[in-house]
Amino acid sequence: MSFEIIDNGIQVGLFLLFALFSLIQGLHMQNRRFLILAGTYASFSMGTLYYLLYLVIMGKVPQVFYVSEMAWMASYLFLLALCLMETRRYRGKLDVLVLGLTIVEAAMVIGWKILGPSYPFTVAFALVTACIFYYALLGYWMEKRMLMLAMVLVIVWQLLLYIVSVFTTGYTHFNLYFAVDFLLMATMCSLFLWLKKEECK
């Protein structure tokens, strides 16, 4: 069995589990932030599930997988909504260094054509990730909140994952691509833990 199937299967199961945790926590505490986080996990999981099913049924990587890309984009839109809720108290602030790093991040997303060859879709994804990156990094530097750092790292690992995938020739065995993907999974799951820790303070 290809390690890519194992990796994607773990991702689907893990994110569905954390979507359930977030949903239960949100309903129990009547907290919209956990419900938005549940949307983040569920969307990412559904996009990966489509990709995984295609891989298992057809036996090859889909050449066009806009269903997955749209679900992954929805996941980042949910994450953006959470980020904007968390950073509203310093939304008007401008930091030149953070802005410079954000421009580099957005340029890399566009330059590497993350999420496929569609230029409008890539630009839209770049704008969404740039907003998350800017406000989360600003939030971390101002308040040293681990939730904000985790959001920044989600963007960094997603970008690194795509760059590594360009140079990866095989997905049958564990390699650097899967190591970065596990980092992405762990960081995304930590969003729930950091948010819960902040709520318990």
Side-chain angles (χ1 to χ4, degrees):
M1 180 186 293
S2 169
F3 197 84
E4 187 173 18
I5 294 174
I6 296 170
D7 175 62
N8 285 300
I10 291 170
Q11 192 172 94
V12 168
L14 197 59
F15 287 165
L16 280 177
L17 189 63
F18 272 85
L20 183 62
F21 290 160
S22 299
L23 182 62
I24 292 169
Q25 191 75 20
L27 293 173
H28 175 70
M29 298 180 69
Q30 295 184 345
N31 189 320
R32 284 184 303 160
R33 297 187 301 167
F34 283 104
L35 298 178
I36 291 171
L37 187 58
T40 301
Y41 290 128
S43 296
F44 209 102
S45 184
M46 291 300 99
T48 306
L49 180 60
Y50 172 82
Y51 185 90
L52 176 63
L53 288 173
Y54 191 100
L55 195 61
V56 171
I57 294 168
M58 303 302 288
K60 60 181 180 180
V61 174
Q63 297 304 305
V64 177
F65 45 98
Y66 288 117
V67 173
S68 292
E69 290 171 355
M70 290 178 75
W72 292 330
M73 173 66 105
S75 176
Y76 280 96
L77 286 170
F78 276 113
L79 189 59
L80 174 60
L82 178 61
C83 182
L84 292 176
M85 286 179 72
E86 293 294 309
T87 59
R88 67 169 62 112
R89 57 190 168 275
Y90 40 81
R91 199 169 302 152
K93 296 190 183 296
L94 178 67
D95 187 291
V96 177
L97 180 57
V98 174
L99 182 61
L101 291 171
T102 303
I103 290 169
V104 170
E105 182 273 334
M108 290 181 74
V109 168
I110 293 170
W112 286 94
K113 293 183 180 175
I114 306 291
L115 286 193
S118 170
Y119 189 73
F121 204 73
T122 298
V123 171
F125 186 69
L127 290 173
V128 170
T129 58
C131 287
I132 297 168
F133 188 87
Y134 178 82
Y135 286 114
L137 187 56
L138 187 64
Y140 176 70
W141 281 3
M142 292 184 73
E143 297 183 335
K144 297 295 184 280
R145 294 172 61 196
M146 293 305 294
L147 177 64
M148 297 292 101
L149 179 60
M151 287 186 188
V152 171
L153 289 175
V154 164
I155 304 299
V156 170
W157 298 144
Q158 183 66 65
L159 183 58
L160 183 60
L161 183 68
Y162 187 83
I163 293 170
V164 168
S165 75
V166 171
F167 300 102
T168 302
T169 54
Y171 296 92
T172 307
H173 302 290
F174 184 85
N175 55 38
L176 181 59
Y177 173 86
F178 297 114
V180 176
D181 202 26
F182 279 120
L183 274 175
L184 175 62
M185 277 188 266
T187 307
M188 283 196 75
C189 292
S190 77
L191 294 171
F192 172 79
L193 303 175
W194 293 121
L195 184 58
K196 188 175 179 183
K197 186 174 181 180
E198 286 187 6
E199 283 296 317
C200 293
K201 282 184 180 179

